[in-house]
Amino acid sequence: MSDLAPSTPTAGQRILLVEDSDVVRMLTVEVLEELDYCVIEAGEAQQALQILRSDEHIDLLMTDIGLPGMSGQELAVAARQLRPDLKVLYASGYAESIEIDKSEPASRTSIIGKPFSLDALRDKVQSMLDS
């Protein structure tokens, strides 16, 4: 078992990761898979929306805020039209200056600053999926 292993089971929990940077996406996928999450990757918002329109089970949408063409926040709005109960974790290098919808419960919408530590990512994802 890995040192990164979470304290609660994650088997079957699926994360849709939307990140336009290939390197950041690859590293994040590697960490999340090390934590035993099933990760579906998308390099841009339109690809993510195609996945969200499918029958694919998704527990959490993790999206970069600064996506080209459609921001992560715009993606989340569109995603919630398709899947109203979807939990959304935003990732941003400017997390402290990002306004997220305060009407959303913290258990459904959160933000993590980039660069994030492995522990911070594990804890944030786990807390959102456990709530």
Side-chain angles (χ1 to χ4, degrees):
M1 185 175 258
S2 162
D3 292 340
L4 295 175
S7 59
T8 58
T10 60
Q13 292 181 308
R14 300 173 70 81
I15 298 170
L16 173 55
L17 173 66
V18 188
E19 170 60 61
D20 59 314
S21 167
D22 293 340
V23 172
V24 174
R25 187 174 63 250
M26 179 188 69
L27 292 171
T28 305
V29 166
E30 190 174 304
V31 169
L32 291 170
E33 287 179 342
E34 179 85 10
L35 294 168
D36 290 329
Y37 293 106
C38 177
V39 183
I40 303 161
E41 302 176 51
E44 47 93 25
Q46 291 304 321
Q47 183 183 7
L49 286 172
Q50 286 181 324
I51 295 165
L52 289 163
R53 286 184 190 106
S54 75
D55 292 333
E56 191 81 48
H57 176 78
I58 307 289
D59 294 294
L60 175 70
L61 168 63
M62 181 176 177
T63 181
D64 184 19
I65 290 217
L67 296 171
M70 174 186 275
S71 75
Q73 290 169 304
E74 292 168 329
L75 171 59
V77 169
R80 291 240 174 94
Q81 289 174 346
L82 297 167
R83 299 179 185 219
D85 296 327
L86 186 64
K87 295 177 182 184
V88 177
L89 175 59
Y90 296 108
S92 175
Y94 307 97
E96 65 283 345
S97 64
I98 301 298
E99 290 289 324
I100 60 174
D101 187 352
K102 301 293 187 211
S103 67
E104 286 289 334
S107 62
R108 282 190 20 145
T109 304
S110 193
I111 190 162
I112 189 169
K114 289 183 189 176
F116 41 77
S117 71
L118 303 180
D119 289 341
L121 179 61
R122 178 198 61 222
D123 293 347
K124 183 69 79 166
V125 168
Q126 188 174 333
S127 70
M128 289 191 74
L129 290 173
D130 287 349
S131 61

